[in-house]
Amino acid sequence: MSLHSLPLFVRLAGKPVILLGDGAAAEAKRRLLDRAGAIVVADHPDARLAIVAIEDEAAARAAVDRLRARGVLVNAVDRPDWCDVTMPAIVDRDPVLIAIGTGGASAGLAGALRQRIEAILPAALGGLARGLFAAREAMRARYPDDGARRRALGAALGDGGALDPMASDADAVTRWLEDDAATPARRTTIRLRSADPDDLTLREARWLGQADRVYHAPHVAAAILDRARADATRICGAAPAAPQPGLTVVLEMDMPESAS
């Protein structure tokens, strides 16, 4: 399954960003750039990003072409087909940022999703992130092995875990490091009902997102495998009987091979 865009977080503090145009759209982009610490300019030889919020179509097209010819990445407001980059809706729980993009299809939809997520995420989430950052050396000392550390942290951050992001703050990190026990080897089997990842239950999707390795039948759809954690090992074949460290997920198929 391909991505129409690659989401990136760009540090703009102290860097020039070109903003062209007047009106409400331009002012909204200016406020966003100010929050990111960018230096907003009408032009600058070192600028690598530009936002074109010019209402007149011919003038906007000329500006986009001129900037692109200089190698500048351009966001053209309300003209997604002209954009090198699009601006997402943002949920800010500093230092946690969640960006919601639709590839320019609907800013309204992105905004509606942002409001839903805003209502769900606790204000203490940023504190938890800062606590985890401050505890990096303590975590390495407690779990010298990278795999063991990743598994322990994944278990703690899971639903109902010691560091559940929906119910934890910075102090929870210290308590977890003092009290955490070794993460056991776990294995679970998911019997796929279709090749559509939307048919996965929430629990099944969570297992895939936490898996250290995934064993799967040859005809399991790529869209299903894409739901696994990016660095999870994927093995086409049967899982061994012996337990393995961390979480092993086995994907089996209830539907005919031709359905995948």
Side-chain angles (χ1 to χ4, degrees):
M1 179 178 285
S2 61
L3 296 170
H4 64 72
S5 301
L6 178 65
L8 299 171
F9 290 93
V10 182
R11 296 184 185 273
L12 294 177
K15 297 180 180 178
V17 176
I18 296 169
L19 175 61
L20 302 178
D22 301 303
E27 284 306 307
K29 300 302 183 186
R30 182 182 296 275
R31 289 193 295 271
L32 186 60
L33 293 172
D34 286 342
R35 286 178 61 191
I39 301 171
V40 181
V41 295
D43 199 4
H44 195 287
D46 295 332
R48 295 293 176 265
L49 176 66
I51 298 175
V52 176
I54 300 172
E55 292 187 8
D56 180 78
E57 184 159 341
R61 179 77 258 185
V64 168
D65 292 343
R66 182 176 69 253
L67 290 163
R68 277 181 167 171
R70 290 168 42 184
V72 178
L73 295 174
V74 177
N75 170 258
V77 176
D78 292 334
R79 297 177 174 99
D81 291 343
W82 298 2
C83 290
D84 300 305
V85 295
T86 55
M87 309 294 279
I90 296 172
V91 179
D92 187 359
R93 295 290 187 273
D94 183 42
V96 178
L97 288 176
I98 298 175
I100 305 120
T102 63
S106 173
L109 174 59
L113 291 173
R114 177 189 63 78
Q115 292 173 9
R116 297 283 186 92
I117 296 171
E118 283 276 12
I120 294 171
L121 295 182
L125 184 60
L128 174 62
R130 288 189 288 273
L132 288 167
F133 181 80
R136 288 179 303 164
E137 293 304 321
M139 284 190 282
R140 290 191 183 101
R142 178 66 185 270
Y143 302 102
D145 177 73
D146 289 346
R149 183 167 62 251
R150 186 184 67 244
R151 289 189 292 273
L153 185 58
L157 289 168
D159 187 12
L163 300 178
D164 184 339
M166 306 305 290
S168 301
D169 57 17
D171 293 337
V173 180
T174 301
R175 295 192 297 269
W176 168 65
L177 285 171
E178 291 173 349
D179 301 337
D180 186 48
T183 305
R186 295 180 296 154
R187 172 172 167 163
T188 189
T189 298
I190 299 174
R191 297 196 63 83
L192 300 174
R193 294 160 293 280
S194 79
D196 186 348
D198 288 341
D199 285 340
L200 294 167
T201 67
L202 290 176
R203 178 176 294 179
E204 290 167 347
R206 187 165 60 246
W207 284 336
L208 281 169
Q210 297 173 352
D212 290 279
R213 66 198 61 79
V214 178
Y215 288 89
H216 62 91
H219 298 286
V220 168
I224 299 286
L225 295 175
D226 284 345
R227 292 297 180 95
R229 200 178 70 208
D231 59 349
T233 303
R234 294 158 172 78
I235 305 104
C236 182
Q244 296 174 278
L247 175 59
T248 298
V249 172
V250 180
L251 297 178
E252 296 181 352
M253 301 172 64
D254 276 344
M255 69 281 194
E257 292 182 358
S258 59
S260 63

